[in-house]
Structures are given as structure tokens and as C-alpha cells.
Coordinates of all heavy atoms in Angstrom, one line a residue:
M1 N 20.0 -31.6 -18.8 CA 21.0 -32.7 -19.0 C 22.4 -32.2 -18.9 O 22.8 -31.2 -19.5 CB 20.8 -33.5 -20.3 CG 19.6 -34.3 -20.4 SD 19.7 -35.8 -19.4 CE 20.7 -36.8 -20.4
D2 N 23.2 -32.9 -18.1 CA 24.7 -32.5 -18.0 C 25.5 -33.4 -18.9 O 25.7 -34.6 -18.6 CB 25.1 -32.7 -16.5 CG 26.5 -32.2 -16.3 OD1 27.2 -31.9 -17.3 OD2 27.0 -32.3 -15.2
N3 N 26.0 -32.9 -20.0 CA 26.7 -33.7 -21.0 C 28.0 -34.1 -20.5 O 28.6 -35.0 -21.1 CB 26.8 -32.9 -22.3 CG 25.5 -32.8 -23.0 OD1 24.6 -33.6 -22.9 ND2 25.4 -31.7 -23.7
T4 N 28.6 -33.5 -19.4 CA 29.9 -33.9 -19.0 C 29.8 -35.1 -18.0 O 30.8 -35.7 -17.7 CB 30.6 -32.8 -18.2 OG1 29.8 -32.4 -17.1 CG2 30.7 -31.6 -19.1
T5 N 28.6 -35.5 -17.6 CA 28.4 -36.7 -16.7 C 28.7 -38.0 -17.5 O 28.2 -38.2 -18.6 CB 27.0 -36.7 -16.2 OG1 26.7 -35.5 -15.5 CG2 26.8 -37.9 -15.2
T6 N 29.6 -38.8 -16.9 CA 29.9 -40.1 -17.5 C 28.8 -41.1 -17.0 O 28.7 -41.3 -15.8 CB 31.3 -40.6 -17.1 OG1 32.2 -39.6 -17.5 CG2 31.6 -41.9 -17.7
W7 N 28.1 -41.7 -17.9 CA 27.1 -42.7 -17.5 C 27.8 -43.9 -17.1 O 28.8 -44.4 -17.7 CB 26.2 -43.0 -18.7 CG 25.3 -41.8 -19.0 CD1 25.4 -40.5 -18.6 CD2 24.1 -41.9 -19.9 NE1 24.4 -39.8 -19.1 CE2 23.6 -40.6 -19.9 CE3 23.5 -42.9 -20.6 CZ2 22.5 -40.3 -20.7 CZ3 22.4 -42.6 -21.4 CH2 21.9 -41.3 -21.4
K8 N 27.3 -44.6 -16.1 CA 27.8 -45.8 -15.6 C 26.7 -46.9 -15.5 O 25.6 -46.5 -15.3 CB 28.4 -45.7 -14.2 CG 29.8 -44.9 -14.3 CD 30.4 -44.9 -12.9 CE 31.7 -44.1 -13.0 NZ 32.4 -44.0 -11.7
C9 N 27.1 -48.1 -15.8 CA 26.1 -49.2 -15.6 C 25.8 -49.3 -14.1 O 26.7 -49.4 -13.3 CB 26.8 -50.5 -16.1 SG 25.7 -52.0 -15.9
N10 N 24.5 -49.3 -13.8 CA 24.1 -49.4 -12.4 C 24.3 -50.8 -11.8 O 24.2 -51.0 -10.6 CB 22.7 -48.8 -12.2 CG 21.7 -49.5 -13.1 OD1 22.0 -50.6 -13.7 ND2 20.6 -48.8 -13.4
K11 N 24.6 -51.7 -12.7 CA 24.9 -53.1 -12.2 C 26.4 -53.4 -12.0 O 26.8 -53.9 -11.0 CB 24.3 -54.1 -13.3 CG 24.3 -55.5 -12.8 CD 23.7 -56.4 -13.9 CE 24.3 -57.8 -14.0 NZ 24.0 -58.5 -15.2
C12 N 27.2 -53.0 -13.0 CA 28.6 -53.3 -12.9 C 29.4 -52.1 -12.4 O 30.5 -52.2 -12.0 CB 29.1 -53.6 -14.3 SG 28.1 -54.8 -15.2
G13 N 28.9 -50.9 -12.6 CA 29.7 -49.7 -12.2 C 30.7 -49.3 -13.3 O 31.5 -48.5 -13.0
E14 N 30.6 -49.9 -14.4 CA 31.5 -49.7 -15.5 C 31.0 -48.4 -16.3 O 29.8 -48.2 -16.5 CB 31.5 -50.8 -16.5 CG 32.2 -52.1 -16.0 CD 33.7 -51.9 -15.9 OE1 34.3 -51.3 -16.8 OE2 34.3 -52.4 -14.9
A15 N 32.0 -47.6 -16.7 CA 31.6 -46.4 -17.5 C 31.2 -46.9 -18.9 O 31.8 -47.8 -19.5 CB 32.9 -45.5 -17.7
L16 N 30.1 -46.4 -19.3 CA 29.5 -46.8 -20.6 C 30.3 -46.3 -21.8 O 30.9 -45.2 -21.7 CB 28.1 -46.3 -20.7 CG 27.1 -46.7 -19.6 CD1 25.7 -46.2 -19.9 CD2 27.1 -48.2 -19.3
V17 N 30.3 -47.1 -22.8 CA 31.0 -46.7 -24.0 C 30.0 -46.5 -25.2 O 29.0 -47.2 -25.2 CB 32.1 -47.8 -24.4 CG1 33.2 -47.8 -23.4 CG2 31.5 -49.1 -24.7
M18 N 30.3 -45.6 -26.1 CA 29.4 -45.4 -27.2 C 29.6 -46.6 -28.2 O 30.8 -46.9 -28.6 CB 29.7 -44.1 -27.9 CG 29.4 -42.9 -26.9 SD 27.7 -43.0 -26.3 CE 26.8 -42.5 -27.7
K19 N 28.6 -47.2 -28.6 CA 28.6 -48.3 -29.6 C 27.5 -48.2 -30.6 O 26.4 -47.8 -30.3 CB 28.5 -49.6 -28.8 CG 28.8 -50.8 -29.6 CD 28.7 -52.1 -28.8 CE 28.8 -53.3 -29.6 NZ 28.7 -54.5 -28.8
K20 N 27.8 -48.6 -31.8 CA 26.8 -48.5 -32.9 C 25.8 -49.7 -32.7 O 26.3 -50.8 -32.7 CB 27.4 -48.5 -34.2 CG 26.7 -47.6 -35.2 CD 27.6 -47.2 -36.4 CE 27.5 -45.7 -36.7 NZ 28.2 -45.4 -37.9
V21 N 24.6 -49.4 -32.6 CA 23.6 -50.4 -32.5 C 22.5 -50.2 -33.6 O 22.2 -49.1 -34.0 CB 22.9 -50.3 -31.1 CG1 21.7 -51.2 -31.0 CG2 23.9 -50.6 -30.0
V22 N 22.1 -51.3 -34.1 CA 21.1 -51.3 -35.2 C 19.7 -51.4 -34.6 O 19.4 -52.3 -33.9 CB 21.3 -52.4 -36.2 CG1 20.2 -52.3 -37.3 CG2 22.7 -52.2 -36.9
F23 N 18.9 -50.4 -35.0 CA 17.5 -50.4 -34.5 C 16.6 -50.8 -35.7 O 16.8 -50.4 -36.8 CB 17.0 -49.0 -34.1 CG 17.8 -48.5 -32.9 CD1 18.9 -47.7 -33.0 CD2 17.3 -48.8 -31.6 CE1 19.6 -47.2 -31.9 CE2 18.0 -48.3 -30.5 CZ 19.2 -47.6 -30.7
G24 N 15.5 -51.5 -35.4 CA 14.5 -51.7 -36.4 C 13.4 -50.7 -36.2 O 12.9 -50.6 -35.0
Y25 N 12.9 -50.1 -37.2 CA 11.8 -49.2 -37.0 C 11.0 -49.1 -38.3 O 11.5 -48.8 -39.4 CB 12.3 -47.8 -36.7 CG 11.3 -46.7 -36.5 CD1 10.4 -46.8 -35.4 CD2 11.1 -45.7 -37.3 CE1 9.5 -45.9 -35.1 CE2 10.2 -44.7 -37.1 CZ 9.4 -44.8 -36.0 OH 8.4 -43.8 -35.8
M26 N 9.7 -49.4 -38.3 CA 8.8 -49.4 -39.4 C 9.4 -50.1 -40.6 O 9.5 -49.5 -41.7 CB 8.5 -47.9 -39.8 CG 7.6 -47.3 -38.7 SD 7.3 -45.5 -39.1 CE 6.3 -45.7 -40.6
N27 N 9.9 -51.4 -40.4 CA 10.4 -52.2 -41.5 C 11.7 -51.7 -42.1 O 12.2 -52.1 -43.1 CB 9.4 -52.4 -42.6 CG 8.2 -53.1 -42.1 OD1 8.3 -54.0 -41.3 ND2 7.0 -52.8 -42.6
R28 N 12.3 -50.7 -41.4 CA 13.6 -50.2 -41.8 C 14.6 -50.4 -40.6 O 14.2 -50.5 -39.5 CB 13.6 -48.7 -42.2 CG 12.7 -48.5 -43.4 CD 12.4 -47.0 -43.5 NE 11.5 -46.7 -44.6 CZ 11.9 -46.3 -45.8 NH1 13.2 -46.2 -46.1 NH2 11.0 -46.0 -46.7
S29 N 15.9 -50.4 -40.9 CA 16.8 -50.5 -39.8 C 17.8 -49.3 -39.9 O 18.1 -48.8 -41.0 CB 17.6 -51.8 -39.9 OG 18.3 -51.9 -41.1
F30 N 18.1 -48.8 -38.7 CA 19.0 -47.7 -38.6 C 20.1 -48.0 -37.6 O 19.8 -48.6 -36.6 CB 18.2 -46.4 -38.1 CG 17.0 -46.1 -39.0 CD1 15.8 -46.7 -38.7 CD2 17.2 -45.3 -40.1 CE1 14.7 -46.4 -39.5 CE2 16.1 -45.0 -40.9 CZ 14.8 -45.5 -40.6
S31 N 21.3 -47.5 -37.9 CA 22.3 -47.7 -36.9 C 22.5 -46.4 -36.2 O 22.5 -45.3 -36.8 CB 23.6 -48.2 -37.5 OG 24.1 -47.3 -38.4
H32 N 22.8 -46.5 -34.9 CA 23.0 -45.3 -34.1 C 23.9 -45.6 -32.9 O 23.8 -46.7 -32.4 CB 21.7 -44.7 -33.6 CG 21.8 -43.3 -33.1 ND1 21.9 -42.2 -34.0 CD2 21.9 -42.8 -31.9 CE1 22.1 -41.1 -33.2 NE2 22.1 -41.5 -31.9
E33 N 24.7 -44.6 -32.6 CA 25.6 -44.8 -31.4 C 24.8 -44.6 -30.1 O 24.2 -43.5 -29.9 CB 26.8 -43.9 -31.5 CG 27.8 -44.4 -32.6 CD 29.2 -43.8 -32.4 OE1 29.3 -42.8 -31.7 OE2 30.1 -44.4 -32.9
V34 N 24.9 -45.6 -29.3 CA 24.2 -45.5 -28.0 C 25.2 -45.9 -26.9 O 26.1 -46.7 -27.1 CB 22.9 -46.3 -27.9 CG1 21.9 -45.8 -28.9 CG2 23.3 -47.8 -28.2
P35 N 25.0 -45.5 -25.6 CA 25.8 -45.9 -24.5 C 25.6 -47.4 -24.2 O 24.5 -47.8 -24.0 CB 25.4 -45.1 -23.4 CG 24.4 -44.1 -23.9 CD 23.9 -44.6 -25.2
V36 N 26.7 -48.2 -24.2 CA 26.6 -49.6 -23.8 C 27.6 -49.9 -22.7 O 28.7 -49.4 -22.7 CB 26.9 -50.4 -25.1 CG1 26.9 -51.9 -24.8 CG2 25.9 -50.1 -26.2
C37 N 27.2 -50.8 -21.8 CA 28.2 -51.3 -20.8 C 29.1 -52.2 -21.4 O 28.7 -53.2 -22.1 CB 27.4 -51.9 -19.7 SG 28.5 -52.7 -18.4
P38 N 30.5 -52.0 -21.3 CA 31.5 -52.9 -21.9 C 31.5 -54.2 -21.2 O 32.1 -55.2 -21.7 CB 32.8 -52.1 -21.7 CG 32.5 -51.2 -20.6 CD 31.1 -50.9 -20.6
K39 N 31.0 -54.3 -20.0 CA 31.1 -55.6 -19.3 C 29.9 -56.5 -19.5 O 30.1 -57.7 -19.9 CB 31.1 -55.2 -17.8 CG 31.8 -56.3 -16.9 CD 32.2 -55.7 -15.6 CE 32.9 -56.7 -14.7 NZ 33.3 -56.1 -13.4
C40 N 28.7 -56.0 -19.4 CA 27.5 -56.9 -19.5 C 26.7 -56.6 -20.8 O 25.7 -57.2 -21.1 CB 26.6 -56.7 -18.3 SG 25.8 -55.1 -18.2
S41 N 27.2 -55.6 -21.6 CA 26.7 -55.3 -22.9 C 25.2 -54.8 -22.9 O 24.5 -54.8 -23.9 CB 26.7 -56.5 -23.9 OG 28.1 -56.9 -24.1
K42 N 24.8 -54.3 -21.7 CA 23.5 -53.7 -21.6 C 23.5 -52.4 -22.3 O 24.4 -51.6 -22.2 CB 23.1 -53.5 -20.1 CG 21.7 -52.9 -19.9 CD 21.4 -52.9 -18.4 CE 20.2 -52.1 -18.1 NZ 19.0 -52.5 -18.9
V43 N 22.5 -52.1 -23.1 CA 22.3 -50.9 -23.8 C 21.5 -49.9 -23.0 O 20.4 -50.3 -22.5 CB 21.7 -51.1 -25.2 CG1 21.4 -49.8 -25.9 CG2 22.5 -52.1 -26.0
F44 N 22.0 -48.7 -22.9 CA 21.3 -47.7 -22.1 C 20.7 -46.6 -23.0 O 21.4 -45.9 -23.7 CB 22.2 -47.0 -21.1 CG 22.6 -48.0 -20.0 CD1 23.6 -48.9 -20.2 CD2 22.0 -47.9 -18.8 CE1 24.0 -49.8 -19.2 CE2 22.3 -48.8 -17.8 CZ 23.3 -49.7 -18.0
I45 N 19.4 -46.6 -23.2 CA 18.8 -45.6 -24.0 C 17.6 -45.0 -23.1 O 16.7 -45.7 -22.7 CB 18.2 -46.1 -25.3 CG1 19.2 -47.0 -26.0 CG2 17.7 -45.0 -26.2 CD1 18.7 -47.7 -27.2
S46 N 17.7 -43.7 -22.9 CA 16.6 -43.1 -22.2 C 15.4 -43.0 -23.1 O 15.6 -42.9 -24.3 CB 17.0 -41.7 -21.6 OG 17.1 -40.9 -22.7
Q47 N 14.2 -43.0 -22.6 CA 13.1 -42.9 -23.4 C 13.1 -41.6 -24.2 O 12.7 -41.6 -25.4 CB 11.8 -43.0 -22.5 CG 10.5 -43.2 -23.4 CD 9.3 -43.4 -22.5 OE1 9.4 -43.3 -21.3 NE2 8.2 -43.6 -23.2
A48 N 13.5 -40.6 -23.6 CA 13.5 -39.3 -24.3 C 14.5 -39.3 -25.4 O 14.2 -38.8 -26.5 CB 14.0 -38.2 -23.3
L49 N 15.7 -39.9 -25.2 CA 16.6 -40.1 -26.3 C 16.0 -40.9 -27.5 O 16.1 -40.5 -28.6 CB 17.9 -40.7 -25.8 CG 19.0 -41.0 -26.9 CD1 19.5 -39.8 -27.5 CD2 20.1 -41.8 -26.3
A50 N 15.5 -42.0 -27.1 CA 14.9 -42.9 -28.1 C 13.8 -42.2 -28.9 O 13.8 -42.2 -30.2 CB 14.3 -44.2 -27.5
E51 N 12.9 -41.5 -28.3 CA 11.9 -40.8 -28.9 C 12.4 -39.6 -29.8 O 12.0 -39.4 -30.9 CB 10.9 -40.2 -27.9 CG 10.1 -41.3 -27.3 CD 9.2 -40.8 -26.2 OE1 9.3 -39.6 -25.8 OE2 8.3 -41.6 -25.7
G52 N 13.4 -39.0 -29.3 CA 14.1 -37.9 -30.0 C 14.7 -38.4 -31.3 O 14.6 -37.8 -32.4
R53 N 15.4 -39.5 -31.2 CA 16.0 -40.1 -32.4 C 15.0 -40.6 -33.4 O 15.2 -40.4 -34.6 CB 16.9 -41.3 -32.0 CG 18.1 -40.8 -31.1 CD 19.0 -39.8 -31.9 NE 20.1 -39.3 -31.0 CZ 20.8 -38.3 -31.3 NH1 20.6 -37.6 -32.4 NH2 21.8 -37.9 -30.5
M54 N 13.9 -41.1 -32.9 CA 12.9 -41.6 -33.8 C 12.3 -40.4 -34.6 O 12.0 -40.5 -35.8 CB 11.8 -42.3 -33.1 CG 12.2 -43.7 -32.6 SD 12.8 -44.8 -33.9 CE 14.5 -44.9 -33.6
V55 N 12.2 -39.3 -33.9 CA 11.6 -38.1 -34.6 C 12.6 -37.7 -35.6 O 12.2 -37.4 -36.8 CB 11.4 -37.0 -33.5 CG1 11.1 -35.6 -34.3 CG2 10.3 -37.3 -32.6
E56 N 13.9 -37.7 -35.3 CA 14.9 -37.3 -36.3 C 14.9 -38.2 -37.5 O 15.0 -37.8 -38.6 CB 16.3 -37.4 -35.7 CG 16.6 -36.2 -34.8 CD 18.0 -36.3 -34.2 OE1 18.9 -37.1 -34.8 OE2 18.3 -35.7 -33.2
V57 N 14.7 -39.5 -37.3 CA 14.7 -40.5 -38.3 C 13.5 -40.2 -39.2 O 13.6 -40.2 -40.4 CB 14.6 -41.9 -37.8 CG1 14.2 -42.9 -38.8 CG2 15.9 -42.3 -37.1
E58 N 12.3 -40.0 -38.6 CA 11.1 -39.7 -39.4 C 11.3 -38.5 -40.3 O 10.9 -38.5 -41.4 CB 9.9 -39.5 -38.5 CG 9.5 -40.9 -37.9 CD 8.2 -40.7 -37.1 OE1 7.1 -40.5 -37.7 OE2 8.3 -40.7 -35.8
E59 N 11.9 -37.5 -39.7 CA 12.1 -36.2 -40.5 C 13.1 -36.5 -41.6 O 12.9 -36.0 -42.7 CB 12.7 -35.1 -39.5 CG 11.6 -34.6 -38.6 CD 12.1 -33.6 -37.6 OE1 13.4 -33.5 -37.5 OE2 11.3 -33.0 -36.9
A60 N 14.1 -37.3 -41.4 CA 15.1 -37.6 -42.4 C 14.5 -38.3 -43.5 O 14.7 -38.1 -44.7 CB 16.3 -38.4 -41.8
L61 N 13.5 -39.2 -43.2 CA 12.9 -40.0 -44.3 C 12.0 -39.1 -45.1 O 11.9 -39.3 -46.3 CB 12.0 -41.1 -43.6 CG 12.8 -42.3 -43.0 CD1 11.9 -43.3 -42.4 CD2 13.7 -43.0 -44.1
E62 N 11.3 -38.2 -44.4 CA 10.4 -37.3 -45.2 C 11.1 -36.4 -46.1 O 10.5 -36.0 -47.1 CB 9.5 -36.5 -44.2 CG 8.4 -37.4 -43.5 CD 7.8 -36.7 -42.3 OE1 8.1 -35.5 -42.1 OE2 7.0 -37.3 -41.6
D63 N 12.4 -36.1 -45.8 CA 13.1 -35.2 -46.7 C 13.5 -35.8 -48.0 O 13.7 -35.2 -49.0 CB 14.4 -34.8 -46.0 CG 14.1 -33.7 -44.9 OD1 13.0 -33.2 -44.9 OD2 15.0 -33.5 -44.0
K64 N 13.5 -37.2 -48.0 CA 14.0 -37.9 -49.2 C 12.8 -38.3 -50.2 O 11.7 -38.1 -49.8 CB 14.8 -39.1 -48.8 CG 16.1 -38.7 -48.3 CD 17.0 -39.9 -47.8 CE 18.3 -39.4 -47.2 NZ 19.0 -40.5 -46.6
Ligands
ZN101 ZN1 27.0 -53.6 -16.9

């Protein structure tokens, strides 16, 4: 993954902005910053990112 690449909405061509979105997971909700198109509000989450974050969340819950 190239972190310097600016993600763009493939529909609008707008550069994505990081926005806090609330996810529901196992009857709990978590907020996390994800890339969102400022024009059409489409949220871009790759499957790998989503799965990675879910793993982080599960680990965080187990620690408490
Ligand atoms: Zn868009």
C-alpha cells in the first residue's frame, strides 16, 4: 500500500476526506475515521481495512 496516494471517488473524482463514521459491531458501536467522498458522501472502506479494524476492536475489548 502506498500511503502517499490520495484516494479519489471513482464516481465524482473528488479527493476523499477522512471522516468519523460510527460502525455497529456485535451490539456495540465504534467510531472510526474512514475516507469519505465530500460530494456524494460515499464511504470507502477496503475489505482489508475493515477486517483489520475489526480485529483491533476485538483485541481492545478483550484487554478490558
Ligand atoms: Zn463521490
Side-chain angles (χ1 to χ4, degrees):
M1 287 289 283
D2 182 358
N3 289 331
T4 63
T5 302
T6 302
W7 289 14
K8 287 185 179 177
C9 178
N10 51 23
K11 186 176 147 194
C12 315
E14 290 287 321
L16 304 184
V17 296
M18 296 305 287
K19 187 177 175 183
K20 216 163 226 186
V21 172
V22 177
F23 296 94
Y25 181 68
M26 289 177 68
N27 297 324
R28 294 165 185 265
S29 61
F30 304 92
S31 62
H32 192 78
E33 287 198 337
V34 295
V36 176
C37 175
K39 205 165 183 179
C40 68
S41 300
K42 180 173 167 60
V43 176
F44 291 80
I45 310 172
S46 70
Q47 192 176 4
L49 173 64
E51 288 175 354
R53 292 303 176 190
M54 286 303 111
V55 169
E56 284 181 20
V57 167
E58 287 186 75
E59 287 174 351
L61 287 176
E62 284 169 9
D63 285 344
K64 284 176 184 172

